[in-house]
Amino acid sequence: MSELDKISSIFDAKIGSAKSKEDLQNLKTEFFGKNGKITQQFKTLASLDPQKRKEFASNLNKIKDDLTNQLEEKSSEIENIEINQKLKNEKVDITLPVRPYQQGKIHPVSQVIDEISSIFSEIGFSVAEGPDVETEYNNFTALNTPEDHPARDMHDTFYLDENKKILLRTHTSPVQIRAMLNGKPPFKIIVPGRTYRCDSDQTHAPMFHQLEGLHIDKNITMGHLKGCLDYFVKEFFEVKKIKMRFRPSHFPFTEPSAEVDIGYRIENDKIVIGEGDKWLEVLGCGMVHPNVLKNAKVDSKKYQGFAFGMGIDRLAMLKYGINDLRAFFETDYRWLSHFGFDPLDVPTNYRGLSK
Ligand code: PHE
């Protein structure tokens, strides 16, 4: 066996058992390094006579090319194996069930806002918003509540400056003004949001939630208001029939004004909504006062409509049998996991609001 054949067979044996990039590197050094087996053969060329040298050089070059190719092939083979191994190690089995963890819950107030938004969006209302910090003008004056009006005292206002020009809004009604000044009629909006009054007991919190409704168009009447609210309470309480009554009332920003009561009875210490001989007040409403339209730059000869305002927390308490309002704002996790809702169950009218 010639010297070159020997080298070649040693190489074959070694490359067969090479497993890593490092093995290959060692192999490369052993054969092609400064003192490598092939390198050394090249060094012998000079001492050969010309005829032999030519033949030997040609064989040597062939072997050199052959070994180099084998090294390259092996290198990409090892690379592939390493990549596949890495992919295998990092593989995530997405069919595995998730690890048990404490799931968050949707607060009943958020749930009820979503339910109400879904109900009103079915009949063409869109959702508008306004800031919690309001001007005295939007909260009272523009809503036809002049300086000396007794309604201002009834609202137990939190003022934020000495001149009583900036306040925490006492109701969501100022968003009526903002919405109308910001667009052109017709308007058909609901406005959920936080409201503030200096008041606190089992049924009153200094911060609470209201939902305002406003529908302004040509030829809107009290009949539309009744139809709209009748549809709303049935959908919201998820009952087919509901007893409802409109009681004359007074708000400076509506004329005529009414408060709406729904019928209920007590059965086994639980409140059953919709029938019975007891009445529960759920909202205030009326036809928007012409002065309000004037202040909001709407032509009251052409356009008119209704507005209503309801207490969201109150509705949530009624629907879900929660009897202390203060618990809403105490961030007690046990309370929330009992009364809260599944975040993946988004309420919609067609799929069901709360079931
Ligand atoms: N803003 C009134 C309140 O807070 C409710 C209401 C709104 C009444 C719109 C009539 C029209 O009590």
Side-chain angles (χ1 to χ4, degrees), residues 23 39 60 119 129 137 187 201 242 254 261 275 326 350:
D23 292 348
T39 318
L60 188 54
I119 294 168
E129 277 180 325
Y137 178 79
F187 300 101
D201 60 36
I242 205 152
T254 46
D261 301 336
E275 43 197 296
R326 287 168 297 195
Y350 62 89

Side-chain angles (χ1 to χ4, degrees), residues 114-126:
D114 288 348
E115 291 179 18
I116 297 176
S117 305
S118 169
I119 294 168
F120 280 105
S121 74
E122 289 280 309
I123 53 169
F125 283 81
S126 52

Side-chain angles (χ1 to χ4, degrees), residues 3-223:
E3 191 60 27
L4 290 189
D5 288 340
K6 256 194 226 160
I7 292 177
S8 181
S9 66
I10 296 173
F11 181 87
D12 285 350
K14 292 206 167 171
I15 198 149
S17 56
K19 295 249 167 345
S20 64
K21 285 242 167 89
E22 210 185 345
D23 292 348
L24 280 189
Q25 192 52 48
N26 291 339
L27 213 53
K28 222 170 172 176
T29 317
E30 189 180 337
F31 288 82
F32 296 101
K34 225 163 150 200
N35 297 312
K37 293 189 166 65
I38 298 287
T39 318
Q40 253 160 12
Q41 292 303 315
F42 274 104
K43 283 181 187 160
T44 64
L45 279 177
S47 59
L48 299 175
D49 58 76
Q51 194 49 44
K52 260 194 157 173
R53 187 195 297 163
K54 211 176 156 194
E55 200 192 317
F56 187 72
S58 143
N59 286 340
L60 188 54
N61 273 321
K62 255 192 228 147
I63 289 190
K64 181 193 143 204
D65 289 347
D66 178 38
L67 301 198
T68 315
N69 284 343
Q70 285 196 57
L71 276 173
E72 265 165 26
E73 261 172 44
K74 191 75 182 181
S75 169
S76 62
E77 204 177 285
I78 288 177
E79 209 161 279
N80 271 336
I81 291 173
E82 278 178 359
I83 286 174
N84 286 335
Q85 192 61 40
K86 213 170 161 196
L87 285 176
K88 215 169 147 188
N89 290 344
E90 289 172 3
K91 190 175 159 191
V92 178
D93 183 355
I94 57 165
T95 64
L96 273 178
V98 287
R99 263 173 268 132
Y101 65 101
Q102 290 281 26
Q103 197 185 19
K105 290 279 186 132
I106 300 293
H107 194 284
V109 170
S110 305
Q111 166 78 14
V112 162
I113 290 175
D114 288 348
E115 291 179 18
I116 297 176
S117 305
S118 169
I119 294 168
F120 280 105
S121 74
E122 289 280 309
I123 53 169
F125 283 81
S126 52
V127 178
E129 277 180 325
D132 294 13
V133 175
E134 254 304 354
T135 59
E136 169 276 336
Y137 178 79
N138 283 343
N139 195 81
F140 290 125
T141 311
L143 288 165
N144 198 35
T145 318
E147 209 70 57
D148 50 1
H149 199 286
R152 292 200 182 211
D153 301 332
M154 273 160 53
H155 277 202
D156 299 310
T157 314
F158 286 113
Y159 287 98
L160 299 178
D161 67 335
E162 276 175 13
N163 298 329
K164 296 191 166 182
K165 291 289 173 212
I166 309 285
L167 45 75
L168 291 174
R169 64 178 175 191
T170 58
H171 50 178
T172 42
S173 302
V175 189
Q176 289 188 30
I177 304 296
R178 288 178 175 271
M180 290 193 278
L181 285 175
N182 256 323
K184 285 200 172 75
F187 300 101
K188 202 172 181 187
I189 55 164
I190 51 166
V191 185
R194 279 192 271 269
T195 47
Y196 305 83
R197 288 181 204 178
C198 191
D199 203 354
S200 182
D201 60 36
Q202 194 175 346
T203 53
H204 295 91
M207 188 281 293
F208 56 104
H209 298 84
Q210 277 196 345
L211 185 113
E212 193 80 8
L214 177 71
H215 187 187
I216 303 289
D217 206 336
K218 291 172 179 157
N219 307 318
I220 296 290
T221 69
M222 199 100 180

Side-chain angles (χ1 to χ4, degrees), residues 108 111-112 115 238 315-322 339 341 354:
Q111 166 78 14
V112 162
E115 291 179 18
E238 298 174 71
L315 287 170
M317 288 168 78
L318 279 175
K319 183 165 178 179
Y320 294 113
I322 302 165
F339 286 109
F341 293 82
S354 62

